[in-house]
Amino acid sequence: MESLLLGIDVGTTSVKAALFDLKGKLEGIASADYPTHYLRPGWVEQQPEDWWVAVCAAVRQVMGSVHNARERVVGVAVSAQAPTLIPLDEDGMPLRPALIWMDRRAEAEVEQLLEQFGEEAIFRVTGNRADAFYVAPKILWYKNHEPHLLKQTRWFVQINGYINYCLTGTLSLDHVHAALLGLRDYATGEWSAELCEMCGVTPEQFPPISHSHATMGEVTRKAAELTGLKPGTPVMVGTVDGAAAALEAGVTEAGVAAEMTGTSTVVLLPNTQGITEPSLIAMPHALPSMHLLLGAMVATGASLNWYRDQFGMVEQSASALLNVDPFDLLTQQAAAISPGSNGVIFLPYMMGERSPMWHTNARGVLFGLSLSTPRGAVIRAIMEGAAFALRHNLHVARQAGVHAREIRSVGGGTRSVLWNQIKADVLGLPVLLPRASIGAPFGDAMLVGMGLGLYPNIHDTLRQIVQIRTVYEPNPDNHALYSEIYLVYRNLYDHLRGDFDHAAAIFASSHGG
């Protein structure tokens, strides 16, 4: 029977496990959720054990859905949300809940790093800005606030590395995640002795760094019992979810960009020069000798989730009666509103914002409401706000020398025809949907094929496998209108920037810091 490739992605809210044949055809998919703990504004944690429980559940489910999958799966690769602080003790046990990428508690530690090294020096070495998004400030926070746990820490891993350890008993770190630590020279790959010393760690506390498609171990008997996999199944090192999604979209050449919208939105722009830009995120591609420049927004899809949970009770009740997704009912209302949302503009900074502003205190704003504003206008404005944020990131990338002539869209956001067209109209670029919009698990499966030598030329393989099913061409009139609104969108943030900080200070003072 034909071999199967297993891709596993540990996302911000759930695990997805998917089985593919060697031609990239989806054979089965399953998912499992886990909780996120919002301890206070900017403090966001998850339990590593919850990821592993969810991985086991999703893999068992998908393995059970495909005939003879246990014997047919020839390899596994895991991708994950990133970057994350996960300290392990000598026995490989987590010492505390993980600080995921969304966690912003290390703001003071960012200032420490800037005072010690300077903004320009940190960017010159790491290829990225100093920000609480990266692991280095999180480790410095760990050193400052939990030194007793730091003394017990033998290893720091990333999420896919932790899952790999649960699968194989071997520790790993891929070259893509390694670039997001903020502790290494981006150009040379050498560890920065100065940054490591400042944060209180040594390079020996990180697993050896390997390429994403390298084989790092085999599924143990214990992991096989929990997952339904066959003992001895090869496991690849894996990668960051965004890099895996770039493979699914066929992003292998300059000008072909990908955007992935789920809880957050990430836009990935490939280049071969290793271009860096302090307002964006630089990291290697999962493919050797290629790089990605990323724009990363925090709460695009999450803003729609927020609206559904807080104001969509009617839709949720109706969806239960009609057996339809509440998002479909929300989208129907938005589709009845003309472009521009009746003058309502949404700033999607519901949990602060990453690129290109890197402003923890930024917050969501609904501008232009009136007593005549219908629900659909607010819903559409949320969709348009996410597209404006995407345009802002592409503008900064273009100034840095990385251009996009088309956007390939993957992830849960592609389910909305309306949202796809809004993105095309706002960006003035065609938005293309690959045939199989599964997300990162597809890219993980491609890494398995690369690692096992099944795809000797991955560029050719992806050109053959990745087929476009739908193209959304921009409407010129809508694009012209959106270009005018975009200027207002940008101005709103500029006018409110200081007010965001002032309001945050008031809140911190009233709550005892």
Side-chain angles (χ1 to χ4, degrees):
M1 300 187 72
E2 187 172 7
S3 298
L4 296 173
L5 311 174
L6 174 60
I8 302 170
D9 180 61
V10 184
T12 303
T13 58
S14 65
V15 166
K16 279 200 298 187
L19 290 169
F20 301 86
D21 67 16
L22 300 188
K23 296 179 182 178
K25 179 186 175 185
L26 178 68
E27 296 291 340
I29 187 168
S31 64
D33 297 339
Y34 37 78
T36 301
H37 306 286
Y38 298 91
L39 306 185
R40 53 191 277 192
W43 290 44
V44 191
E45 297 180 350
Q46 291 178 344
Q47 290 285 358
E49 296 87 349
D50 290 342
W51 301 325
W52 175 235
V53 169
V55 165
C56 292
V59 173
R60 280 197 310 271
Q61 183 179 342
V62 75
M63 295 288 287
S65 71
V66 177
H67 176 65
N68 204 25
R70 185 174 184 272
E71 301 301 322
R72 296 168 62 192
V73 171
V74 295
V76 183
V78 182
S79 60
Q81 53 170 310
T84 311
L85 174 70
I86 313 166
L88 305 180
D89 66 14
E90 188 71 43
D91 297 322
M93 298 297 294
L95 285 163
R96 70 168 334 279
L99 277 61
I100 67 170
W101 61 269
M102 199 182 293
D103 190 278
R104 304 293 302 175
R105 74 186 66 180
E107 290 287 334
E109 284 68 29
V110 171
E111 294 304 316
Q112 279 187 259
L113 290 168
L114 291 173
E115 289 174 10
Q116 178 74 20
F117 299 104
E119 184 175 356
E120 184 178 338
I122 290 175
F123 173 67
R124 186 174 64 250
V125 172
T126 68
N128 287 297
R129 66 188 294 118
D131 188 83
F133 167 73
Y134 300 102
V135 175
K138 289 179 168 65
I139 293 178
L140 185 53
W141 179 92
Y142 187 53
K143 173 186 174 184
N144 289 343
H145 295 271
E146 298 177 349
H148 61 292
L149 293 180
L150 179 60
K151 291 179 180 178
Q152 301 175 47
T153 301
R154 174 60 186 89
W155 301 102
F156 290 97
V157 295
Q158 295 298 290
I159 295 176
N160 68 329
Y162 177 76
I163 299 302
N164 287 345
Y165 179 72
C166 293
L167 285 169
T168 69
T170 301
L171 291 160
S172 64
L173 177 62
D174 63 275
H175 68 298
V176 186
H177 274 99
L180 300 181
L181 297 175
L183 294 168
R184 301 171 70 245
D185 189 298
Y186 187 79
T188 68
E190 298 294 325
W191 292 94
S192 167
E194 294 82 3
L195 285 169
C196 286
E197 181 180 1
M198 173 81 177
C199 294
V201 297
T202 66
E204 289 72 32
Q205 288 178 279
F206 298 87
I209 299 169
S210 305
H211 280 287
S212 297
H213 64 279
T215 302
M216 55 76 55
E218 297 179 346
V219 174
T220 64
R221 188 166 300 278
K222 178 181 178 182
E225 292 173 356
L226 293 171
T227 61
L229 290 164
K230 186 176 181 180
T233 303
V235 177
M236 310 302 134
V237 177
T239 190
V240 172
D241 56 0
L247 293 177
E248 183 197 33
V251 174
T252 62
E253 61 181 273
V256 178
E259 74 95 13
M260 175 178 63
T261 294
T263 302
S264 60
T265 292
V266 176
V267 60
L268 308 107
L269 299 110
N271 66 92
T272 56
Q273 305 98 311
I275 293 173
T276 58
E277 158 57 52
S279 295
L280 302 176
I281 300 168
M283 70 183 194
H285 200 300
L287 300 180
S289 303
M290 291 194 70
H291 298 263
L292 292 168
L293 201 59
L294 279 70
M297 293 132 273
V298 173
T300 47
S303 295
L304 273 179
N305 289 343
W306 166 81
Y307 183 90
R308 176 202 62 192
D309 295 342
Q310 300 301 323
F311 305 107
M313 285 72 76
V314 172
E315 288 78 12
Q316 293 194 65
S317 298
S319 69
L321 291 172
L322 301 174
N323 195 29
V324 296
D325 192 316
F327 284 114
D328 293 338
L329 299 178
L330 292 172
T331 300
Q332 288 175 17
Q333 297 176 64
I337 304 299
S338 300
S341 301
N342 290 13
V344 179
I345 299 174
F346 178 66
L347 304 188
Y349 312 139
M350 301 288 279
M351 283 290 293
E353 188 54 294
R354 289 184 288 177
S355 65
M357 296 101 68
W358 299 96
H359 192 184
T360 300
N361 294 333
R363 289 293 179 267
V365 172
L366 276 168
F367 171 85
L369 295 173
S370 75
L371 293 178
S372 64
T373 300
R375 290 163 57 85
V378 175
I379 300 165
R380 185 180 184 111
I382 292 173
M383 293 179 165
E384 291 176 346
F388 287 138
L390 184 60
R391 177 168 173 168
H392 191 183
N393 280 275
L394 288 174
H395 173 75
V396 173
R398 186 167 61 251
Q399 290 181 318
V402 182
H403 300 259
R405 64 175 182 269
E406 66 181 45
I407 304 292
R408 298 188 177 188
S409 187
V410 297
T414 60
R415 290 183 56 250
S416 172
V417 171
L418 175 64
W419 210 353
N420 295 329
Q421 188 61 54
I422 286 172
K423 290 172 185 175
D425 291 347
V426 168
L427 300 177
L429 296 171
V431 171
L432 289 66
L433 271 57
R435 182 189 65 188
S437 186
I438 306 303
F442 178 95
D444 300 326
M446 295 298 101
L447 292 176
V448 175
M450 289 173 62
L452 298 179
L454 302 175
Y455 303 139
N457 188 323
I458 188 61
H459 293 269
D460 288 345
T461 298
L462 288 172
R463 276 191 284 269
Q464 294 167 8
I465 289 179
V466 178
Q467 299 179 8
I468 303 302
R469 62 182 172 90
T470 311
V471 178
Y472 293 86
E473 293 287 352
N475 178 300
D477 292 336
N478 290 347
H479 178 61
L481 172 64
Y482 279 134
S483 293
E484 292 187 57
I485 299 172
Y486 174 69
L487 296 177
V488 181
Y489 167 89
R490 291 286 304 276
N491 284 337
L492 283 172
Y493 170 76
D494 290 340
H495 292 250
L496 292 172
R497 180 182 179 88
D499 293 322
F500 286 138
D501 292 332
H502 189 193
I506 294 170
F507 179 83
S509 175
S510 65
H511 287 72

